[in-house]
Amino acid sequence: MSTARGEFSSRFGFLMATSGSAIGLGNIWGFPTNAASNGGAAFLFTYLLLAFSLAYPALMAELIIGRHTRANAVSALRQLATGPVSKKVGTGVGLAGLLTVSLILSFYSIIGGWMVSWMLEAITSLLGLDAAALWFATDAVPRNSLFVLVFMALTIYVVSAGVRDGIEKWSTRLMPALVVLLLLLILYVFTLEGATEGLRAYLVPDFSRVASPGLIVSALGQAFFSLSLGVGTMLIYGSYLSSEENLPLTGSMVSMLDTGFSFLAGLLIIPAIYVALANGVQIYDDSGALVAGPGLIVSLLPSLFDSMGMVGALVALAFFALMVIASLTSSISMLEVPVAYTVETFKTQRSRAAIVIGSTVTVVSLILVFNFATLFDFVVTLTTEYSQPLLGFFFAIFVGWIWNRNEVLKELQKGYAGAEHSLFWKIWPFYISVVCPLAILAVYVQLIFF
Ligand code: TRP
């Protein structure tokens, strides 16, 4: 069965695909924007804590379920269910995940579209086509609608044609390039006035802010978003993974790569904010909210590139081109969730499923573009801060309480001889059944009552 569904040919391929899903706009756009709105270092530390204590165990839950059941989330959870109630809950969680990820894709494609448009801005400025460059750089409904269409078309094309291999090969080469580029940009920012203060804001936490409920929920949402959790993406990728792989090891590599990317992006953006402040640019309004809101990085980075003189346009081109690739390897992992479900459940042709579902998501994206001010933040908060962690809660319950623990161990032992004596097995089962669900609930209880 696994062969018919397709399988990653190597650990490296899986690692690249899974990191490709994890690393994307969440790291370079979401994390720095969140950190900038939530007190910098206080956010970074809460985020790091939650990423390793809650998101990594939840990632393991999804990967193990996926590899064991070799199915999409809905069928997978139904397969693990032991009675009519858990079967219903499983179906509900699977379908809610599918809906959540489709909504996530609808806002993700808007930001992905911005990356395409800024990439074209860099190309047209290099060619001296100033009018075109200005059009690509100006935030407007027609521009944003056009690039939602372009970004979704690319996503649909990759998912329907199954040219994922090609994309993965590219991103294998291009992701290291993105790291190098980020490092160079960080070095450049550090030479500018105001950067040291930014570095302090990013690394020295004001612990009085850590306790604020808004901050913890944002950090939890960010951690789940960045690792693509709760919606069945990682479950699907786990279902394509060969039984010879060591799951806890692979999972921890993905978590570390993903967190590393976010950390680096923050190291660039937060000091860049302070450089802009030192230059008299208004970043925060009187209430302390970001003036640019979700547009922070596309208002901040282009002016940083401009300050570099001649090379600036080349750097911008490289940066936005790499961002387009990074967002595509994430968006295809989103569209894959409803497509895999439809193909496996209704035996629909893959390309037809990708086109129909992708077009529906595009329509929702366009609605968001036309009602950006009222709907965008609402959909982001609803899906990433509420839906994802709460669905993660149910995945934890399925692995921790419904699935027989010996079966879980058996799955883990494939590709990991001696798993039963490992530190992972000493900690994780208790963790996923008790600590994760309670901690996720605690965050919401705190939010509701304080
Ligand atoms: N994790 C990706 C990022 O950081 C986005 C992503 C891909 C995602 N698949 C997902 C987010 C599924 C939520 C759910 O950009």
Side-chain angles (χ1 to χ4, degrees):
M1 179 169 162
S2 58
T3 339
R5 301 185 67 245
E7 202 172 80
F8 290 109
S9 54
S10 64
R11 165 180 309 167
F12 191 66
F14 172 77
L15 197 62
M16 281 307 125
T18 315
S19 324
S21 165
I23 298 165
L25 294 167
N27 305 69
I28 312 243
W29 162 76
F31 175 79
T33 310
N34 253 319
S37 342
N38 287 291
F43 186 84
L44 172 67
F45 282 82
T46 315
Y47 170 75
L48 288 178
L49 187 75
L50 295 177
F52 287 103
S53 64
L54 290 181
Y56 168 66
L59 169 67
M60 289 311 302
E62 276 195 49
L63 291 179
I64 293 182
I65 299 179
R67 195 176 67 175
H68 182 74
T69 57
R70 300 268 180 219
N72 66 79
V74 180
S75 329
L77 294 177
R78 288 177 66 88
Q79 227 168 295
L80 295 186
T82 45
V85 177
S86 53
K87 229 184 197 100
K88 278 214 183 78
V89 174
T91 312
V93 170
L95 290 176
L98 201 147
L99 197 67
T100 301
V101 78
S102 309
L103 272 176
I104 290 179
L105 181 55
S106 75
F107 76 73
Y108 204 84
S109 60
I110 300 178
I111 316 291
W114 290 353
M115 300 298 130
V116 180
S117 143
W118 278 97
M119 179 180 86
L120 295 175
E121 190 273 345
I123 296 176
T124 42
S125 345
L126 279 169
L127 296 175
L129 303 171
D130 293 342
L134 184 66
W135 191 79
F136 290 129
T138 311
D139 189 29
V141 169
R143 182 202 73 169
N144 293 343
S145 309
L146 174 68
F147 288 108
V148 156
L149 293 176
V150 171
F151 188 82
M152 283 304 301
L154 289 171
T155 305
I156 294 170
Y157 172 72
V158 175
V159 172
S160 64
V163 289
R164 204 164 310 123
D165 282 356
I167 284 258
E168 296 311 339
K169 262 179 219 125
W170 275 25
S171 56
T172 318
R173 294 182 194 119
L174 292 173
M175 285 306 114
L178 185 56
V179 176
V180 173
L181 189 62
L182 280 176
L183 288 172
L184 291 176
L185 286 171
I186 291 167
L187 287 179
Y188 172 72
V189 166
F190 284 172
T191 64
L192 304 176
E193 196 196 322
T196 341
E197 207 189 318
L199 198 58
R200 199 169 309 124
Y202 186 48
L203 297 177
V204 184
D206 169 0
F207 283 106
S208 65
R209 291 195 66 155
V210 172
S212 94
L215 183 145
I216 298 178
V217 183
S218 302
L220 184 68
Q222 178 60 38
F224 271 74
F225 183 79
S226 200
L227 276 179
S228 316
L229 296 178
V231 300
T233 286
M234 287 306 187
L235 194 151
I236 287 275
Y237 276 35
S239 79
Y240 301 140
L241 178 62
S242 129
S243 295
E244 269 121 60
E245 298 303 337
N246 176 334
L247 275 175
L249 181 71
T250 325
S252 61
M253 280 154 88
V254 173
S255 305
M256 280 189 281
L257 275 175
D258 181 60
T259 317
F261 258 92
S262 292
F263 178 74
L264 278 185
L267 210 49
L268 170 67
I269 306 291
I270 308 294
I273 289 180
Y274 282 77
V275 170
L277 285 172
N279 290 334
V281 179
Q282 201 198 0
I283 299 278
Y284 295 102
D285 64 18
D286 293 339
S287 69
L290 284 171
V291 172
L296 175 73
I297 75 158
V298 283
S299 65
L300 200 62
L301 290 177
S303 49
L304 188 74
F305 298 141
D306 275 347
S307 76
M308 297 176 167
M310 289 291 285
V311 291
L314 277 177
V315 176
L317 174 57
F319 178 84
F320 287 112
L322 291 170
M323 285 311 297
V324 171
I325 309 276
S327 349
L328 271 178
T329 56
S330 298
S331 63
I332 57 178
S333 79
M334 297 180 196
L335 188 56
E336 180 68 22
V337 176
V339 168
Y341 168 75
T342 311
V343 170
E344 288 174 21
T345 313
F346 306 106
K347 312 278 172 270
T348 320
Q349 214 187 339
R350 171 167 270 274
S351 56
R352 170 174 303 181
I355 292 171
V356 172
I357 299 169
S359 311
T360 315
V361 170
T362 310
V363 171
V364 180
S365 302
L366 291 174
I367 296 178
L368 294 185
V369 166
F370 279 87
N371 301 279
F372 195 83
T374 42
L375 288 182
F376 186 82
D377 275 343
F378 171 74
V379 174
V380 174
T381 307
L382 181 74
T383 51
T384 66
E385 294 185 7
Y386 290 89
S387 192
Q388 280 193 279
L390 287 174
L391 291 170
F393 168 89
F394 285 103
F395 277 103
I397 298 289
F398 261 86
V399 172
W401 297 97
I402 295 178
W403 194 2
N404 177 304
R405 189 147 304 173
N406 281 328
E407 298 276 312
V408 182
L409 180 59
K410 263 196 230 144
E411 185 57 47
L412 210 57
Q413 282 165 331
K414 296 180 191 159
Y416 187 9
E420 66 280 16
H421 304 299
S422 62
L423 184 64
F424 181 81
W425 189 249
K426 288 198 178 75
I427 299 174
W428 181 78
F430 171 70
Y431 220 88
I432 199 73
S433 51
V434 180
V435 181
C436 286
L438 285 181
I440 294 176
L441 284 187
V443 170
Y444 291 98
V445 169
Q446 188 208 20
L447 188 71
I448 296 166
F449 294 107
F450 293 93

